[in-house]
Amino acid sequence: MFFESFILNILVLVVLILALLFDYATKFFSYWYIRHIPYRIPIPLFGNDYFRVLGIRNTSDEVNKLYTTYGKDKYVGCIKSRIPDLIVKDPNSIKKILSTDFSNFHCRGSALDRSQDVCIRNNLFYAEGEKWTLLRSKMELLLNNMDVNLRDNLHDCLQGINGQTNVQQLLCEILDVVFKDLLIGNNLDGSVIKTTRKILQTRTLFDKLKSYLKDIFPSIYVMFGLNVLSKQYFSKFTQVLEESKLMQDIKKTESILHDDTDVKKKFKLSECDLITAYLALFIGEGYIPCHHTLTTLLYELAKNPEVQEKARKCVNSSSEDDYLSHTIKETLRLHPPYSIINRKCVKTYQFPDKDLLIDKSFTITIPVEALQRDETHYKDANKFNPSRFEANRELPDCIYLPFGTGPRKCIGERLALQIIRSVTASILKSFHIAPCEMLPDLQTSDFNFKRVIDNDLWLKFDPIS
């Protein structure tokens, strides 16, 4: 005992424990100060995340605010809980991080590889290192061998639509059919697509808590064995999944890729594991971002009737560089489904153009939405103007990143654009789209790394005779 009084000893012990916790929580709070990087003062235990904990702003809005506040700086520092995070605004540095020096930043830093969540553990979006390389090669071959025919049933989904329509609901009905045909097949029950989509879109208080832990405290998400969809969930659809087009495509892929190397043996996955991971990937990182993009695209077409008419003239075009394609690109610029890109520094990195050293395990944030709305890079950046993407107008590298860039660029970009274009063309061919009286602003927030629209969007669909 330090003192004769037991209570005094307890008080001293408590003070020491609190001091150690404070030191642990604030260890890196001066990290950006000594590197002469502008930063916002963090708060113990929360860092710069207090705005999200208190519900003041979500991550994307905070990153956008910091981007604007420090307009002339190439880099902005912040603290995620207790770990330093660097917001990189300079396109040249972004190119080095995502492409040139990819080996230093090949991880997202999500640390969810060991999760019990079957939708995450073997998911290409969350995978790291050798497992990512293996899953990437499997997914590339799968996409190359998939039979993609999107227009056959789209007309049937639009029958009976006339007048004021809930856009999100309409698009769900269309995309349910599109992804059923793509993944399940016409002759099988496609309820697994609709049910999985509904679960992944659900945002109860508990779902938001899980999303927060997955983003900020992934180790806690893994420790408590949290999941979005369990193995028991997929067991209800075992027969449908075994007979699905996706399973047939997986078997074709596995017959081509013989698992005979050490890496493939180390991460060898059963067809059951693959189909659950692939289904979650197609719905979570394919269906939902496509739904977001189509919603914002129809919103912009309703606001801009002259753009709508020019796009309608291209609905039968097979060109990948016509006005309808420019309209889709402009939508992805103003309303990217992923507003930020995260990377983890896997070894100490020196930025070539600045005396700035980043230590291993610290994170990088690429502010996609803020970059794509920056007046420095785009004239009238907040105006919807598809003409800025005409073929003779070359954009500088890394100021347009809705699908990322470099080796970890979105593998489904081509398929996503094909789906978005096919759905948009079918709607434009059949309807004039107009606002219902006053058109409200879109209210967006973050959920599971993606941007989501919080308010219902109603538009007027007038059939073209």
Side-chain angles (χ1 to χ4, degrees), residues 268-456:
K268 189 171 183 179
L269 305 168
S270 68
E271 291 173 351
C272 180
D273 286 338
L274 281 174
I275 196 166
T276 53
Y278 284 171
L279 184 64
L281 182 67
F282 273 104
I283 303 300
E285 320 308 330
Y287 182 122
I288 294 175
C290 282
H291 185 274
H292 174 88
T293 301
L294 284 164
T295 303
T296 53
L297 174 56
L298 295 180
Y299 172 81
E300 292 294 349
L301 290 175
K303 282 177 61 178
N304 300 275
E306 70 288 346
V307 171
Q308 183 182 151
E309 287 306 315
K310 290 177 71 174
R312 184 174 285 109
K313 293 176 182 178
C314 303
V315 294
N316 293 318
S317 169
S318 58
S319 171
E320 294 184 359
D321 193 35
D322 57 15
Y323 195 79
L324 178 55
S325 295
H326 300 160
T327 304
I328 294 170
K329 288 180 180 179
E330 179 70 346
T331 302
L332 287 165
R333 182 189 71 82
L334 271 178
H335 309 283
Y338 294 88
S339 60
I340 58 176
I341 296 173
N342 294 115
R343 290 290 184 267
K344 182 173 77 172
C345 188
V346 297
K347 53 187 174 181
T348 303
Y349 182 78
Q350 173 79 50
F351 282 88
D353 62 337
K354 185 176 179 63
D355 185 19
L356 174 60
L357 192 78
I358 300 297
D359 290 304
K360 178 182 176 181
S361 298
F362 294 163
T363 57
I364 302 290
T365 294
I366 311 298
V368 175
E369 186 176 293
L371 272 168
Q372 295 180 173
R373 288 177 174 244
D374 191 337
E375 292 284 345
T376 305
H377 308 309
Y378 297 95
K379 183 179 178 181
D380 297 325
N382 289 310
K383 181 181 178 182
F384 188 77
N385 177 22
S387 298
R388 70 174 86 245
F389 286 98
E390 290 177 358
N392 60 343
R393 298 187 183 182
E394 290 292 330
L395 294 175
D397 289 336
C398 294
I399 63 167
Y400 181 75
L401 298 167
F403 296 98
T405 190
R408 198 146 189 166
K409 184 179 183 179
C410 176
I411 197 171
E413 176 183 4
R414 187 173 181 83
L415 177 60
L417 291 174
Q418 191 175 349
I419 291 171
I420 292 166
R421 183 185 176 97
S422 296
V423 172
T424 306
S426 296
I427 292 174
L428 288 177
K429 192 183 293 186
S430 303
F431 301 97
H432 290 289
I433 308 166
C436 297
E437 298 179 358
M438 182 173 238
L439 191 62
D441 292 333
L442 294 178
Q443 300 171 15
T444 55
S445 60
D446 293 348
F447 185 67
N448 284 337
F449 304 103
K450 293 179 281 289
R451 286 299 244 175
V452 294
I453 299 170
D454 288 329
N455 55 325
D456 286 339

Side-chain angles (χ1 to χ4, degrees), residues 1 10 21 113 160 182 203 266 326 381:
M1 291 288 181
I10 292 296
L21 286 174
D113 273 11
L182 182 68
R203 287 184 286 156
K266 181 179 177 182
H326 300 160

Side-chain angles (χ1 to χ4, degrees), residues 96-150:
K96 291 182 181 298
I97 291 166
L98 299 181
S99 297
T100 313
D101 297 328
F102 174 74
S103 60
N104 291 75
F105 302 96
H106 58 79
C107 292
R108 290 189 189 276
S110 59
L112 291 165
D113 273 11
R114 297 182 181 179
S115 171
Q116 296 180 32
D117 192 336
V118 292
C119 296
I120 292 177
R121 186 173 61 246
N122 300 313
N123 191 314
L124 179 63
F125 185 83
Y126 299 98
E128 310 288 6
E130 293 176 322
K131 180 186 276 192
W132 172 78
T133 303
L134 173 61
L135 290 174
R136 178 91 182 188
S137 62
K138 287 177 179 288
M139 180 56 75
E140 283 179 343
L141 190 57
L142 178 74
L143 290 172
N144 289 336
N145 285 279
M146 289 185 81
D147 179 20
V148 182
N149 191 353
L150 303 173

Side-chain angles (χ1 to χ4, degrees), residues 5-242:
S5 171
F6 176 75
I7 296 177
L8 191 56
N9 281 303
I10 292 296
L11 288 174
V12 170
L13 184 61
V14 169
V15 170
L16 286 173
I17 291 173
L18 290 175
L20 288 172
L21 286 174
F22 182 82
D23 180 67
Y24 175 80
T26 61
K27 181 178 179 180
F28 301 110
F29 277 21
S30 62
Y31 191 83
W32 300 120
Y33 175 78
I34 62 179
R35 284 164 175 75
H36 307 292
I37 298 296
Y39 69 104
R40 179 166 291 177
I41 302 299
I43 295 175
L45 300 180
F46 297 109
N48 293 121
D49 279 329
Y50 62 88
F51 61 86
R52 176 162 35 186
V53 176
L54 298 176
I56 299 171
R57 282 187 298 277
N58 55 54
T59 299
S60 298
D61 292 337
E62 176 67 7
V63 169
N64 292 345
K65 185 175 178 61
L66 290 172
Y67 186 100
T68 305
T69 302
Y70 301 96
K72 296 182 180 179
D73 296 287
K74 292 183 177 181
Y75 311 95
V76 180
C78 60
I79 303 292
K80 283 187 174 180
S81 182
R82 63 181 292 272
I83 302 300
D85 177 75
L86 183 68
I87 299 172
V88 180
K89 301 168 54 179
D90 175 46
N92 292 327
S93 298
I94 291 172
K95 183 177 181 180
K96 291 182 181 298
I97 291 166
L98 299 181
S99 297
T100 313
D101 297 328
F102 174 74
S103 60
N104 291 75
F105 302 96
H106 58 79
C107 292
R108 290 189 189 276
S110 59
L112 291 165
D113 273 11
R114 297 182 181 179
S115 171
Q116 296 180 32
D117 192 336
V118 292
C119 296
I120 292 177
R121 186 173 61 246
N122 300 313
N123 191 314
L124 179 63
F125 185 83
Y126 299 98
E128 310 288 6
E130 293 176 322
K131 180 186 276 192
W132 172 78
T133 303
L134 173 61
L135 290 174
R136 178 91 182 188
S137 62
K138 287 177 179 288
M139 180 56 75
E140 283 179 343
L141 190 57
L142 178 74
L143 290 172
N144 289 336
N145 285 279
M146 289 185 81
D147 179 20
V148 182
N149 191 353
L150 303 173
R151 292 202 180 203
D152 289 351
N153 296 320
L154 292 182
H155 179 71
D156 296 338
C157 300
L158 298 172
Q159 288 186 349
I161 303 297
N162 191 348
Q164 295 188 13
T165 303
N166 184 305
V167 173
Q168 289 104 319
Q169 184 178 331
L170 171 63
L171 291 174
C172 280
E173 293 172 3
I174 294 172
L175 291 177
D176 284 347
V177 173
V178 168
F179 278 82
K180 175 187 177 293
D181 291 349
L182 182 68
L183 304 177
I184 305 300
N186 286 324
N187 301 322
L188 297 172
D189 177 19
S191 60
V192 62
I193 300 296
K194 185 176 182 179
T195 309
T196 303
R197 178 262 299 171
K198 283 184 175 180
I199 293 174
L200 294 179
Q201 284 181 324
T202 302
R203 287 184 286 156
T204 63
L205 184 61
F206 184 55
D207 291 314
K208 290 179 180 179
L209 175 61
K210 289 192 293 185
S211 177
Y212 173 77
L213 291 175
K214 188 162 52 174
D215 187 7
I216 301 300
F217 300 109
S219 57
I220 297 178
Y221 187 91
V222 174
M223 182 191 306
F224 285 99
L226 298 175
N227 60 67
V228 179
L229 297 171
S230 64
K231 284 187 177 181
Q232 289 73 22
Y233 167 80
F234 288 105
S235 66
K236 297 185 296 184
F237 305 101
T238 300
Q239 185 175 351
V240 170
L241 293 176
E242 285 179 351

